[in-house]
Amino acid sequence: MDCIMIALYLDMALRINSAVDMLSVSLGNRRSLQELMNAMGDEWTLHKSNVKALLFSHESCPTSISDLVQQALAACQASIIPDMAVRFHALGRIRTSMIPDEHMSVLAKISRDGELLDSLKPLSVKNDVVPEISVGMDKLTLTCSRYSTRIRSSTQQVL
């Protein structure tokens, strides 16, 4: 909801009244897939792989109109599940019309500048690896020639 609030204020000079941040029902890391699943009705109403594909796979590129519509529909569907409706009803409402223009301008600028800085980060990094690589039983050992502590386990690495 914070991103929507900032975008509407900066790009269209609009304010939000009576909005609900669905992830406010989360108890843990708001950016995790599991907390998002919990906020949308848990795995008995959703397919985890579909939620992951819709909400987490396109972080490096702009969201398409189709994905945006599907995200809005998923949020709408989650809000009418009886158990979730009770939880959402108990949440406080977001009213940006109560925030002075000076404060909204500063909040919006800080948020947008953060997004812009984040978009400047490289999506991939090339590291130089020492040619001596040892292979053992289910184990591959290699050394980065410049930064010895920079190689981390990841499913997205290519060697």
Side-chain angles (χ1 to χ4, degrees):
M1 189 51 65
D2 58 336
C3 294
I4 293 171
M5 176 190 76
I6 297 300
L8 287 174
Y9 180 77
L10 279 177
D11 300 335
M12 304 180 84
L14 294 175
R15 300 287 192 125
I16 291 178
N17 282 320
S18 238
V20 175
D21 181 17
M22 291 178 64
L23 287 174
S24 292
V25 298
S26 301
L27 300 174
N29 178 2
R30 293 171 51 97
R31 302 219 186 270
S32 75
L33 175 59
Q34 189 56 51
E35 287 303 319
L36 184 61
M37 294 288 293
N38 293 342
M40 295 181 73
D42 211 355
E43 294 184 29
W44 63 273
T45 58
L46 302 165
H47 295 287
K48 195 171 196 171
S49 60
N50 292 348
V51 172
K52 184 176 181 179
L54 180 61
L55 298 168
F56 285 92
S57 64
H58 308 295
E59 293 177 356
S60 61
C61 61
T63 305
S64 69
I65 300 274
S66 173
D67 285 349
L68 191 61
V69 169
Q70 290 179 51
Q71 291 172 8
L73 180 60
C76 180
Q77 291 297 317
S79 71
I80 60 175
I81 297 170
D83 288 346
M84 298 310 297
V86 170
R87 291 173 66 189
F88 294 143
H89 185 71
L91 295 175
R93 298 299 184 252
I94 298 170
R95 292 179 179 85
T96 60
S97 61
M98 305 293 283
I99 303 171
D101 285 340
E102 302 82 30
H103 294 179
M104 278 297 292
S105 295
V106 170
L107 289 171
K109 180 169 177 19
I110 290 170
S111 178
R112 184 63 57 90
D113 288 351
E115 289 173 8
L116 290 172
L117 285 173
D118 197 41
S119 71
L120 295 174
K121 291 180 182 176
L123 298 178
S124 63
V125 178
K126 183 180 183 295
N127 289 313
D128 297 325
V129 177
V130 174
E132 293 81 30
I133 298 174
S134 64
V135 179
M137 293 295 290
D138 296 330
K139 188 174 181 180
L140 173 71
T141 305
L142 55 98
T143 306
C144 190
S145 62
R146 283 189 284 164
Y147 306 105
S148 60
T149 60
R150 298 291 173 119
I151 298 175
R152 296 186 180 110
S153 297
S154 171
T155 58
Q156 299 176 348
Q157 290 180 353
V158 177
L159 177 65

